[in-house]
Amino acid sequence: MNSIWSDYKEELIEKEYLEAEEIFIAVFSEAYKHTTQNAKLFTDLYNWYTCGIEDGMYQFFEFEYRTVDSLSDLGKVIQKYLGVIAYGCFQKCVTELMPLVYSDSPDSAAIDEISESMNVYFKENEKALLHGIKNYLLEEGDKIAEEIGW
């Protein structure tokens, strides 16, 4: 294990999930440059979280091409690490929001309504979501680090 990831991992273990965002961002920033499976999966997970908490969930689908496989993999991670309710929110993104975003004539009001309801969920559950992301990174971080050269 490279010293970059070793240092981050040690720090991540010691920090509360609310204090760990700088580590999430550092890993995200490097993982984003890679297309390997684990790096991409962490990128998608953290991107999904940040779109839900800050940017508006519709942006998760606007700027990245998502495949059925990548969405399926992400759904499994969300269900395992972020919980059943977060997974339900993710399912709503895929089944209701994504078709609206990719529609030939997007319904902006419907997109905004869904995004705003998800934003409320994310803000109310921020601690639990960050805790899940921390657990995911602690369990899968060695694989991610290997793929990104850390």
Side-chain angles (χ1 to χ4, degrees), residues 8-146:
Y8 278 136
K9 187 174 183 178
E10 186 176 309
E11 194 176 335
L12 186 60
I13 290 168
E14 295 172 6
K15 289 192 175 224
E16 288 293 319
Y17 45 89
L18 289 173
E19 300 168 335
E21 278 196 276
E22 65 189 44
I23 297 168
F24 301 158
I25 292 168
V27 175
F28 173 82
S29 296
E30 188 60 33
Y32 193 79
K33 301 173 191 174
H34 300 269
T35 58
T36 54
Q37 181 181 356
N38 293 298
K40 183 72 175 132
L41 197 51
F42 179 75
T43 300
D44 284 350
L45 176 64
Y46 196 69
N47 193 13
W48 185 74
Y49 165 77
T50 59
C51 285
I53 199 88
E54 296 171 6
D55 303 327
M57 186 52 72
Y58 65 90
Q59 289 189 15
F60 180 74
F61 296 107
E62 280 190 339
F63 301 112
E64 296 283 335
Y65 177 74
R66 310 273 181 221
T67 65
V68 171
D69 288 341
S70 71
L71 289 172
S72 177
D73 291 345
L74 179 58
K76 290 173 190 170
V77 167
I78 289 170
Q79 186 169 21
K80 180 176 179 180
Y81 292 95
L82 305 185
V84 175
I85 295 171
Y87 180 71
C89 186
F90 174 74
Q91 287 296 98
K92 186 173 185 174
C93 287
V94 172
T95 60
E96 294 179 31
L97 186 59
M98 190 171 75
L100 290 170
V101 171
Y102 286 119
S103 170
D104 290 337
S105 54
D107 181 346
S108 297
I111 291 170
D112 288 345
E113 183 180 326
I114 293 170
S115 288
E116 287 172 22
S117 73
M118 289 185 180
N119 183 266
V120 169
Y121 166 79
F122 275 76
K123 291 208 185 296
E124 289 175 354
N125 295 284
E126 181 178 18
K127 291 177 184 177
L129 295 168
L130 288 172
H131 185 73
I133 292 170
K134 176 184 174 181
N135 287 340
Y136 173 74
L137 197 51
L138 286 171
E139 286 187 30
E140 301 296 330
D142 292 349
K143 294 176 193 172
I144 296 165
E146 185 177 317

